[in-house]
Amino acid sequence: MTVYKKIMFTACAAAACFVQAALAAGKYDSKLERKVERTLAKMTLEEKVGQMAEMAIDILGHWDNGEFVLDADKLEKAFGQYKVGSILNSPGPVAQTPQKWRQIIGTIQDYSLRSMGIPCVYGLDQNHGTTYTLGGTLFPQNINMGASFNPALMRRAAAITAYETRAANCPWTYSPTVDLSRDPRWSRVWENYGEDCLVNAVMGRAAVLGFQGGLSGMIDANHIATSVKHYMGYSVPRTGKDRTPAYIPESELREKFFAPFKACIDAGALSVMVNSASVNAVPMHINRKYLTQWLKEETGWDGVVLTDWGDIGNLYTREYVAVDKKDAIRQAINAGIDMVMEPYDLNFCTLLKELVEEGKVPMSRIDDAVRRVLRMKYRLGLFERPNTELKDYPDFGSRKHAEEAEAAAVESMVLLKNEGETLPLKGKKKLLLTGPNANSMRALNGGWSYTWQGNRADEFAGNHNTILEAMQQRFGKESVLYEPGVTYNNEGKYWEENMPDIAKAVEAARNADVILACIGENSYAETPGNLDDLALSANQRLLVKALAETGKPLVLILNEGRPRIIADIEPLAAAVVHIFLPGNHGADALVKLLSGESNFSGKLPYTYPRYPAALTTYDFRASEEVSTMEGAYDYNAQVSVQWPFGYGKSYTTYAYSNLRVDKSSFRPTDSLRVAIDVTNTGAMAGKESVLLYSTDLVASLTPECRRLRAFDKISLLPQETKTVEFCLPARDLAFVDNDGKWVLEEGVFRLTVDNQTVTVTCNRTHGW
C-alpha cells in the first residue's frame, strides 16, 4: 500500500536513499555538465545576459485580422541583437491551436538557434490542464485536486498536461502552485492544494513527477519542465489582497511555507518562480537569504530561479527598495534571481550588461545563472530536439484524457450536507436548476482557462456541458426546469451581476419537486479577483432565501474559487455540495454524483469559515479558542467554522477501529508504524481518505492542536474492511524553534485518525 507522508523530512531510510541517489544522478551528470561548460565558454557577455531575460510573446509580433503574426524585424531584434533566452505567454493572451503553437515556437527557435546556436525555452501557464492550447484537456483546478486527497490523480493529470503541451511544441509550464491557501480572502486560493503544507507538498511533488516524467533529471519528448510557484509566503497577505505584503514568523516560513517547495525541488523541479510581494518587509525578489541560502545552498538544488511578471519593476515603483530599474536589477540578480520575466522591455539586457561592466554584478553570479538556464535547456533536450510535432502525439485531446479529467472531478467534489437523504436524486422528479452558475462553462473552469481571467471559456468550451446541459442529458429536458434568477454581467468585473429576477425563479420552483441552486463566483485570476466582502453576493443569498420559502427541498451547489460565507443560507438547505472549479468535465462528474451513479469521496482541503471575522486554519493553537473568562472581563475568543478541514460526507458510512502503533516509546531516530482498520458499513462502494494527525501535548513553543502527518485514499466495497498503514518518521513530529532549528522534544504525543486516538512518548529531545 502506498503511503504519503510529510516530504519536508526524510522518510523511511531506503526511500530517502533512492530519492537522493536519483537526484544526485541528475544533478551531477558529468556529461551534461561538460556540455553546459562548453556552451558557456563560447558565449559573449551579451549572450549571457540575454539568456537571463524572458520576454512576452507580444513584443515579437502584431495582430492582423484576428490572428497573431510574428514580425521578422522584431524577432531579429530580440534574438539577433539582445539574445533573449526565453519567451512566455499566449498572444492576447488567448489560447492557440496546437498547429499555431508549432508555427510560433518553431519560428522563434529558428531565429534563436540561427543567432547564437542556443534554443529558446518557451513557457505557458498550463495551470489546470492544457489551458492555453485549443482542443486540449482541462482538468479540475488544483484546489479540487487537493480535495481529492489522491496524489495519483494529480500525477496523472500533470502527465497528460505535459504530453498535450509538448504536442503543441511548448516545453515548460509555470506550475504547480504550492503557496498554501490559508487566507480565504486571497484571490488565488483555488490555484493551490489547500491550507495544509503536507497536502501541498505531496500533491506538488506528484505534479512535478507527472510533468517531468520522474526523477531522472532528463526530460523526454512527452514531458515538460515545471516552475513551482510562488516562492514563498505569498498566500497570507495581511490585507488579504493579491501581491501585498505578508508578515510571517521565520519559524513558520521554514516549517510550513518552505516545505512544499522543498518537496518539489527534491522531486527534481527544474525551476521555481518567486513571490511577487514582500515577506516581513523584504521583497522576496531581493531576499538573498531565502533565494540563495535556503533554496540553493542548503539543498544543493541546481535549477532556475525565475521572477514573476514584471516584478523587477515593482522593486522601485511600488516597494521602494531600489532607486531605479538598474538598481532593482542589481539587487535581484545578486540576491539569486537567474531569469527575469521582463515582459516588454528589452533594455533589461542593456542594464544588466552595464552592471557587470561596472563591477556591480560579479561575472561569477552571471555565469552561475546562465549555467542554470543552459542546464534546464539541455535537460529538456532542446539542443537536440528544439521542436516537437503534433503528429507524434495521437492522444492529444483524446476521449481517454477526457475520461481521466472527469474521474478527477468526481473524486474532488465534496458532499457537505445531506439531510433526509435528499441526495442522490431518485425516482421521477421535477428539478429546478437555478442560480448564476447553472449554465456557465466560465464558472466551472475559473481563471487561467483559455484566457487569463477565464472570461471566454463559454466560447472555447462550448462543446462541453454546463451543469444545466449535463442535468438535462441525464434526467431529461422535460424534467429539468431552468430559471436562473440571478445572472453575472460577463462584460463587467467578475463580481458584477445583472438585475435579478428572483420572482421568476420562485414561480418556477412551484412546479418543481427539488430545487438545485448553483451559486458561487464567476471566474477571475490574480489581482482582478480581489474582494472586500467575503460573503456570497447579496443577490444570490436573497435568491436562496426566497426559494426556501417555497418549502421545496433545496440543494446548494457551491461553485467557487474560495469559500464565500453562506452562514445565513446554509440552514435553509437540505443538502450542500461543493464542486470548487472542476473544469470542462465538471458538470458530467457532478451529475454522476447527484444521480448516485458515483459516490462522493472528496474532503475539504481548507477550513470553510462561518463568519468574516472568525477566520482560522485547522492547525490553530488552543489559545486561539479560549472560553469565556470569569469576572469583570469577557474574553471570548472562540472561533466557529462552517465546516472543518478534512470534512466530507458520502452516500455510505465508514467505521474506524483498532488504531495502533508499533511502539509506545520512541527515539528521535525511530520510525513509527501506525495502522488503522477502516470498514465500509453502508450499502454502497466508496473511496475514503484516511487522515493521520498528531498533537504535541506539551512543547516549549505553544503547539498546534493538531497537524496532518500522513494520508492515504482507499476503495471499499460494502461491508469490506481494510487496514491502512502509515510509516511515520519520528522526525516528522519535530517543529522549528525560535532559532530556526528543527527540534523534537521529549514528551507525549497523541496520534488521531477519525475518532480513534493513541498516545506515544518521545524519550529524549533532539535537534537538527
Side-chain angles (χ1 to χ4, degrees):
M1 178 180 297
T2 303
V3 176
Y4 302 104
K5 47 196 167 293
K6 187 176 180 185
I7 310 297
M8 182 62 200
F9 294 131
T10 305
C12 297
C17 290
F18 170 78
V19 170
Q20 292 304 316
L23 287 171
K27 196 179 299 180
Y28 303 110
D29 183 334
S30 59
K31 184 178 179 181
L32 169 66
E33 295 304 319
R34 284 196 297 271
K35 290 180 180 179
V36 170
E37 292 303 322
R38 281 197 298 265
T39 303
L40 185 69
K42 292 185 279 188
M43 296 174 68
T44 65
L45 178 57
E46 288 84 359
E47 289 172 334
K48 289 179 180 180
V49 298
Q51 287 300 297
M52 298 171 66
E54 183 175 48
M55 301 290 164
I57 183 63
D58 308 78
I59 71 164
L60 300 180
H62 61 273
W63 289 88
D64 185 9
N65 293 323
E67 182 178 1
F68 184 77
V69 179
L70 291 169
D71 184 286
D73 290 338
K74 293 178 179 179
L75 285 162
E76 185 59 39
K77 182 178 181 181
F79 298 105
Q81 179 181 348
Y82 287 96
K83 315 298 183 183
V84 169
S86 179
I87 302 294
L88 84 154
N89 211 11
S90 190
V94 62
Q96 304 293 307
T97 66
Q99 294 84 358
K100 183 67 175 180
W101 277 127
R102 172 60 181 86
Q103 183 263 321
I104 289 174
I105 299 175
T107 302
I108 286 170
Q109 291 293 29
D110 289 344
Y111 274 83
S112 183
L113 289 165
R114 189 163 62 245
S115 69
M116 53 187 151
I118 298 174
C120 175
V121 59
Y122 204 105
L124 286 173
D125 286 288
Q126 307 285 53
N127 286 352
H128 69 112
T130 319
T131 52
Y132 270 122
T133 307
L134 295 174
T137 305
L138 269 65
F139 279 84
Q141 294 278 4
N142 284 349
I143 196 66
N144 288 73
M145 305 306 280
S148 78
F149 283 86
N150 188 343
L153 286 179
M154 185 65 251
R155 182 165 182 171
R156 183 60 184 150
I160 290 172
T161 302
Y163 174 93
E164 294 190 352
T165 300
R166 211 63 189 266
N169 203 23
C170 181
W172 190 20
T173 187
Y174 310 111
S175 189
T177 306
V178 293
D179 291 318
L180 308 190
S181 298
R182 297 175 69 81
D183 188 334
R185 300 173 301 167
W186 190 48
S187 61
R188 307 188 76 163
V189 164
W190 48 271
E191 292 188 52
N192 300 263
Y193 300 104
E195 69 185 43
D196 177 62
C197 63
L198 171 63
V199 175
N200 276 271
V202 171
M203 301 301 278
R205 180 179 188 272
V208 170
L209 293 174
F211 280 126
Q212 298 192 171
L215 286 163
S216 70
M218 303 302 290
I219 312 298
D220 65 26
N222 288 332
H223 294 88
I224 59 178
T226 59
S227 186
V228 187
K229 60 190 185 186
H230 307 83
Y231 182 81
M232 64 180 166
Y234 183 36
S235 56
V236 287
R238 179 174 288 177
T239 66
K241 302 292 195 295
D242 186 44
R243 283 181 162 85
T244 59
Y247 301 89
I248 308 168
E250 187 160 287
S251 60
E252 190 165 331
L253 273 174
R254 170 73 78 175
E255 186 172 334
K256 295 181 180 177
F257 290 88
F258 185 62
F261 290 94
K262 177 66 162 56
C264 290
I265 64 172
D266 283 352
L270 294 192
S271 63
V272 167
M273 184 184 293
V274 179
N275 171 5
S276 294
S278 64
V279 175
N280 301 330
V282 180
M284 191 59 68
H285 280 75
I286 62 168
N287 196 318
R288 189 181 188 281
K289 178 178 182 179
Y290 297 147
L291 295 180
T292 296
Q293 290 179 223
W294 284 29
L295 186 58
K296 295 179 178 179
E297 294 175 350
E298 289 184 13
T299 66
W301 179 64
D302 61 2
V304 175
V305 175
L306 170 72
T307 78
D308 205 342
W309 186 275
D311 280 338
I312 292 295
N314 289 335
L315 294 175
Y316 69 96
T317 61
R318 192 189 69 176
E319 300 290 353
Y320 301 109
V321 294
V323 296
D324 56 21
K325 186 166 192 171
K326 190 172 180 178
D327 187 36
I329 293 170
R330 175 189 64 82
Q331 292 188 58
I333 300 302
N334 286 336
I337 294 294
D338 301 313
M339 182 183 284
V340 173
M341 191 184 290
E342 182 55 67
Y344 305 121
D345 187 6
L346 286 162
N347 194 46
F348 160 81
C349 301
T350 303
L351 295 175
L352 180 54
K353 180 172 180 279
E354 290 175 0
L355 286 165
V356 177
E357 292 170 339
E358 294 164 3
K360 295 178 180 177
V361 173
M363 183 59 73
S364 59
R365 175 77 271 273
I366 298 295
D367 285 347
D368 172 59
V370 177
R371 281 189 185 96
R372 292 169 182 271
V373 175
L374 293 174
R375 191 178 290 122
M376 180 169 72
K377 292 181 177 184
Y378 272 113
R379 283 174 170 162
L380 281 165
L382 295 179
F383 282 86
E384 299 81 15
R385 186 188 57 251
N387 295 294
T388 51
E389 304 292 341
L390 180 61
K391 65 181 177 59
D392 297 326
Y393 300 84
D395 284 333
F396 175 85
S398 67
R399 181 59 202 163
K400 178 175 69 174
H401 289 176
E403 289 170 353
E404 298 201 49
E406 183 179 309
V410 168
E411 284 204 34
S412 73
M413 295 180 182
V414 183
L415 179 62
L416 294 171
K417 184 178 183 180
N418 192 23
E419 293 179 348
E421 296 186 350
T422 302
L423 300 176
L425 299 169
K426 297 293 188 182
K428 191 71 173 175
K429 290 185 172 70
K430 282 279 189 182
L431 307 173
L432 171 64
L433 207 62
T434 186
N437 297 53
N439 196 29
S440 169
M441 292 306 302
R442 175 178 174 178
L444 288 175
N445 276 296
W448 298 114
S449 303
Y450 304 107
T451 62
W452 176 39
Q453 294 296 309
N455 57 306
R456 295 179 65 182
D458 288 288
E459 172 188 346
F460 291 118
N463 60 327
H464 297 286
N465 285 329
T466 65
I467 297 174
L468 171 64
E469 291 163 343
M471 290 289 290
Q472 289 180 335
Q473 284 184 14
R474 173 56 64 98
F475 296 102
K477 287 189 176 181
E478 70 285 351
S479 296
V480 180
L481 311 172
Y482 172 59
E483 191 57 59
V486 176
T487 56
Y488 296 120
N489 173 15
N490 283 313
E491 302 305 316
K493 306 292 186 182
Y494 82 93
W495 45 265
E496 291 181 354
E497 295 169 350
N498 298 313
M499 183 68 68
D501 195 346
I502 293 173
K504 205 170 181 181
V506 171
E507 182 60 31
R510 303 191 191 284
N511 298 317
D513 299 306
V514 179
I515 303 167
L516 291 92
C518 302
I519 57 178
E521 297 181 309
N522 211 355
S523 72
Y524 54 84
E526 300 190 77
T527 302
N530 285 344
L531 51 65
D532 294 318
D533 187 352
L534 195 54
L536 188 68
S537 81
N539 284 339
Q540 293 186 55
R541 292 179 4 253
L542 287 172
L543 172 66
V544 171
K545 291 173 183 177
L547 291 168
E549 290 181 0
T550 67
K552 303 295 178 69
L554 178 61
V555 180
L556 301 183
I557 308 296
L558 306 180
N559 173 200
E560 53 193 17
R562 58 194 153 197
R564 302 300 293 266
I565 290 174
I566 56 170
D568 57 336
I569 60 173
E570 177 274 327
L572 307 177
V576 182
V577 176
H578 199 343
I579 67 171
F580 306 94
L581 302 173
N584 276 343
H585 305 280
D588 299 314
L590 175 62
V591 169
K592 283 187 173 181
L593 291 163
L594 294 178
S595 67
E597 178 182 342
S598 298
N599 200 352
F600 285 94
S601 66
K603 292 181 182 289
L604 280 178
Y606 51 58
T607 304
Y608 202 114
R610 186 185 298 273
Y611 305 114
L615 306 180
T616 189
T617 54
Y618 87 94
D619 50 351
F620 64 87
R621 288 163 171 80
S623 52
E624 296 174 42
E625 280 201 333
V626 297
S627 58
T628 302
M629 289 187 177
E630 296 181 0
Y633 299 102
D634 185 8
Y635 291 157
N636 190 337
Q638 288 182 326
V639 177
S640 175
V641 303
Q642 194 74 56
W643 293 286
F645 170 87
Y647 182 82
K649 299 173 72 68
S650 168
Y651 290 144
T652 190
T653 53
Y654 301 99
Y656 287 75
S657 62
N658 195 23
L659 177 63
R660 62 247 187 221
V661 63
D662 66 339
K663 50 180 70 73
S664 59
S665 179
F666 63 91
R667 297 167 298 180
T669 54
D670 287 340
S671 285
L672 304 175
R673 300 286 174 174
V674 183
I676 183 81
D677 297 334
V678 186
T679 302
N680 182 345
T681 56
M684 185 176 183
K687 294 182 179 180
E688 172 73 343
S689 293
V690 182
L691 312 182
L692 171 65
Y693 297 93
S694 74
T695 303
D696 191 345
L697 297 186
V698 177
S700 57
L701 293 182
T702 303
E704 297 125 330
C705 286
R706 60 177 182 159
R707 283 285 296 277
L708 184 67
R709 298 302 185 184
F711 60 90
D712 201 359
K713 194 165 191 176
I714 58 173
S715 299
L716 289 168
L717 297 172
Q719 306 308 310
E720 182 181 12
T721 298
K722 286 184 178 178
T723 298
V724 179
E725 297 178 344
F726 298 104
C727 171
L728 180 65
R731 188 170 177 173
D732 278 15
L733 301 174
F735 63 90
V736 176
D737 65 17
N738 279 331
D739 295 323
K741 304 296 184 182
W742 286 99
V743 60
L744 174 59
E745 296 179 340
E746 64 177 292
V748 180
F749 292 81
R750 182 171 61 238
L751 303 180
T752 304
V753 181
D754 196 72
N755 60 355
Q756 302 288 298
T757 63
V758 65
T759 58
V760 291
T761 302
C762 180
N763 57 24
R764 65 184 177 88
T765 297
H766 184 77
W768 290 272

